[in-house]
Amino acid sequence: MRVKSQAVRAVLALGGGTTLAVAASWQQSSCLAFSAPLEDKLPKTAVVAKVACTTPKESFLLRLKIIARVAYLLVQVIIPLGWAALLHCIHPRLCPLTILHDMLYKVFISSGPCFLKLGQWAATRPDIFGKEFCSLVAQLQESAPTHTWAESLAELKRSGIPLEKLTNISKTPVHSGCIAQVHEGYYEGRKVAIKVMHPGILESIEIDLGVIKACVAFVDFIIPQSEWLSLGSCFEEFKALMKVQLDLRVEAANLTRFRENFKDIQGIRFPKPILKSQSVLVEEFMEGCSVREYMNGTITASPAEYRKVAKLGCKAFFKMVFCDNFVHADLHPGNILVSKDNHGEPILVILDPGLVSSLKKVDKKNFTELFSAVCVGDGHLAAELMIAGSEYHRCRDAANFKSAMQSIIDRVSIHKNRSFALKDIKIGEVLNDALIAVRQNCVKLDPNFTQLIISIIVLEGMGRSLWPEMNIFTVSIPFLIPNIEKTDVKRLIPIIKKMYT
């Protein structure tokens, strides 16, 4: 039976993977501990959090929890979704795609932190899951299930944070994510945000990662071309990043580094960390409204203010990529606020940098060259760079791949469209088509490449809503040119300057 719907593919992957996950999770149950690479990402003072079984009784109880988890996924998730997917494949009217999308959304929001984060990631991949489904699960970026105030208070007491110095703590959280929730409070007279990790999160994530790993293996088995999406590598990166998030001291260290990187940049701010432990982070409370309110047009502001917000977002991203090589890897609208300075000028406030990414020196060079090729509209060069930078590939018809990339890039080339405004060209769709062409021609991209492309797609969606006339390539030039000088495509610099300055 041919799998027609991208959402149905996701259902099949979830179902098959859960069955395989029983063995994987069982093997992990003797001692669930974080892998060594995580320790390299922590501050020197941090201790890697672990879920360890020190007695036969604890080991037995954990095995029972694993069985219960798998049973829950089978009964409450896999069987209903499997039947729905089967009915949709038999005839779409038996189970419309909208119903299947709603069921998957409910799975993501109710099946634990890993699946919630997976849903947030899925929202950024319309090239895999389809636009309608991604629009639905984008809601997961705004909020997540909460835990009780009693559980937050217990965690605050266990954390070692000087609780006596925190006053007027709100019992109702102001925000919740897949790892932690945030309460308002005061520390030495200053308003602060108190981020408290959800109870039981360590054990839950370790078990669910085994389930997701098996799902990835199943997808690679039933959809051969998925190999070229680097799903296995993406999972390993996802696993490492999820585990890094389980120590809030890492987020505090990231905040400190971002604040240093942007200390001389006007209009972009990160909250200052104040107190930290593995499970609690107290940071400066940042006032402002979600950038999504600007995107939806619910904020009354001048066109000039909308333009400034859009440009600040682009400048922040391109500085992270080309200047600092330290990129916020979860930069969706739910993590961006807009505030005002004393003169009424907009300030972009960037939150939750628990996830960051950096490119190796060679990968950064490859990405800079590829971005430059797209800037000048050279699809043939872009294709050559993709093949040359691929870990391995089975591209049997390089000429066809080059032709396909040229056709795609022609849609954004300034030679083909003099205005090159977001209102005229949907860069997100172009990049989606590029990822599809990569998959169809069996060219394996580095996961960091894919992540940066995804970030540009998200950035384009924000920019289109805020300032349809914006040319994101023009905004990137001050950050891009110094990096091109260190690559093998220095010859493109005069062309880029002529086209965009």
Side-chain angles (χ1 to χ4, degrees):
M1 182 188 301
R2 183 184 177 188
V3 182
K4 298 179 180 179
S5 167
Q6 291 165 311
V8 172
R9 291 183 184 183
V11 173
L12 292 175
L14 196 60
T18 302
T19 304
L20 294 174
V22 178
S25 298
W26 187 267
Q27 288 177 349
Q28 292 175 345
S29 64
S30 60
C31 183
L32 302 179
F34 289 174
S35 57
L38 172 63
E39 298 182 358
D40 298 334
K41 299 183 179 183
L42 294 175
K44 293 182 179 179
T45 56
V47 178
V48 180
K50 296 182 179 180
V51 180
C53 304
T54 56
T55 67
K57 180 179 179 181
E58 290 176 346
S59 179
F60 177 73
L61 289 175
L62 184 55
R63 288 172 186 243
L64 289 180
K65 291 178 182 179
I66 292 172
I67 294 172
R69 178 64 173 155
V70 173
Y72 168 82
L73 289 173
L74 285 172
V75 175
Q76 296 294 327
V77 177
I78 304 308
I79 293 176
L81 279 175
W83 276 108
L86 179 61
L87 290 172
H88 180 80
C89 288
I90 293 172
H91 198 290
R93 288 186 179 180
L94 295 176
C95 181
L97 199 56
T98 53
I99 293 178
L100 196 56
H101 285 170
D102 288 338
M103 292 178 70
L104 276 168
Y105 173 76
K106 290 176 181 177
V107 166
F108 284 132
I109 204 168
S110 64
S111 296
C114 273
F115 288 95
L116 184 62
K117 178 58 72 175
L118 194 62
Q120 293 175 342
W121 170 80
T124 68
R125 296 304 304 265
D127 61 302
I128 299 178
F129 300 105
K131 297 176 185 177
E132 292 182 3
F133 179 67
C134 290
S135 296
L136 176 64
V137 295
Q139 300 174 55
L140 298 173
Q141 296 172 345
E142 295 295 323
S143 61
T146 62
H147 60 257
T148 66
W149 163 244
E151 290 170 319
S152 284
L153 183 59
E155 193 59 53
L156 285 168
K157 291 177 179 178
R158 283 194 297 266
S159 69
I161 292 291
L163 187 56
E164 69 279 0
K165 294 186 177 182
L166 296 173
T167 59
N168 298 327
I169 304 174
S170 64
K171 295 184 178 181
T172 302
V174 295
H175 179 73
S176 182
C178 66
I179 300 296
Q181 66 185 37
V182 180
H183 297 264
E184 289 182 6
Y186 287 84
Y187 173 77
E188 296 182 343
R190 293 179 292 171
K191 191 175 183 180
V192 293
I194 306 167
K195 179 177 284 191
V196 183
M197 199 173 287
H198 294 308
I201 193 88
L202 304 178
E203 184 177 279
S204 175
I205 283 182
E206 194 68 36
I207 293 171
D208 284 351
L209 283 173
V211 176
I212 295 174
K213 182 177 181 178
C215 290
V216 169
F218 190 72
V219 170
D220 285 339
F221 176 74
I222 65 170
I223 308 175
Q225 282 189 322
S226 67
E227 175 185 2
W228 310 107
L229 292 173
S230 304
L231 291 181
S233 299
C234 285
F235 166 75
E236 292 302 322
E237 185 70 15
F238 175 77
K239 179 175 73 171
L241 292 176
M242 283 298 295
K243 290 184 174 182
V244 165
Q245 282 191 294
L246 295 180
D247 193 318
L248 295 181
R249 289 167 292 188
V250 175
E251 181 171 333
N254 291 342
L255 281 171
T256 300
R257 182 167 174 181
F258 276 120
R259 284 174 61 84
E260 177 65 22
N261 290 346
F262 282 84
K263 65 181 180 181
D264 297 323
I265 306 298
Q266 291 186 344
I268 300 170
R269 290 187 60 191
F270 293 81
K272 179 182 179 180
I274 299 171
L275 301 172
K276 57 185 182 294
S277 74
Q278 185 240 316
S279 59
V280 175
L281 173 61
V282 179
E283 62 186 38
E284 177 185 9
F285 190 92
M286 308 298 286
E287 302 285 355
C289 62
S290 171
V291 73
R292 198 178 293 277
E293 294 185 42
Y294 278 80
M295 294 168 61
N296 296 336
T298 56
I299 293 292
T300 302
S302 67
E305 183 170 323
Y306 273 81
R307 289 195 295 270
K308 288 177 182 177
V309 171
K311 195 169 183 178
L312 283 173
C314 283
K315 287 177 63 177
F317 175 74
F318 288 123
K319 183 182 185 307
M320 291 178 194
V321 173
F322 293 117
C323 297
D324 307 325
N325 193 22
F326 191 71
V327 184
H328 192 309
D330 200 17
L331 202 58
H332 56 74
N335 283 339
I336 302 175
L337 300 180
V338 181
S339 184
K340 297 289 184 68
D341 64 15
N342 295 332
H343 304 288
E345 293 296 312
I347 297 174
L348 220 58
V349 179
I350 301 177
L351 307 172
D352 295 342
L355 299 179
V356 296
S357 63
S358 298
L359 292 175
K360 297 176 184 175
K361 187 175 181 179
V362 64
D363 291 332
K364 184 183 178 185
K365 172 179 172 291
N366 290 341
F367 180 79
T368 301
E369 292 176 346
L370 178 60
F371 194 87
S372 303
V374 175
C375 272
V376 299
D378 194 337
H380 285 264
L381 176 59
E384 289 174 1
L385 291 168
M386 284 182 176
I387 293 174
S390 176
E391 182 182 347
Y392 65 92
H393 66 85
R394 296 176 189 167
C395 185
R396 297 182 178 88
D397 191 346
N400 180 67
F401 180 47
K402 291 178 183 179
S403 177
M405 287 302 300
Q406 186 63 59
S407 177
I408 291 168
I409 290 178
D410 276 348
R411 290 158 53 188
V412 297
S413 171
I414 199 167
H415 296 301
K416 300 293 180 179
N417 189 306
R418 289 291 175 184
S419 70
F420 190 57
L422 291 178
K423 69 180 179 65
D424 299 320
I425 301 172
K426 296 184 178 180
I427 299 173
E429 290 186 2
V430 171
L431 293 174
N432 283 336
D433 289 345
L435 290 177
I436 291 169
V438 164
R439 184 171 73 247
Q440 290 175 340
N441 287 274
C442 301
V443 178
K444 186 179 178 69
L445 291 184
D446 182 275
N448 287 313
F449 263 58
T450 307
Q451 178 60 48
L452 287 176
I453 290 173
I454 292 165
S455 296
I456 294 173
I457 292 173
V458 174
L459 188 70
E460 183 254 358
M462 293 171 54
R464 180 181 301 281
S465 301
L466 296 169
W467 183 16
E469 301 289 339
M470 181 172 65
N471 180 332
I472 66 170
F473 283 167
T474 299
V475 178
S476 75
I477 297 307
F479 308 100
L480 177 64
I481 294 295
N483 283 270
I484 301 178
E485 293 173 348
K486 306 171 186 176
T487 71
D488 298 329
V489 294
K490 289 185 287 187
R491 66 185 185 278
L492 299 181
I493 292 178
I495 302 174
I496 292 174
K497 286 183 176 179
K498 183 178 180 180
M499 292 172 66
Y500 297 103
T501 58

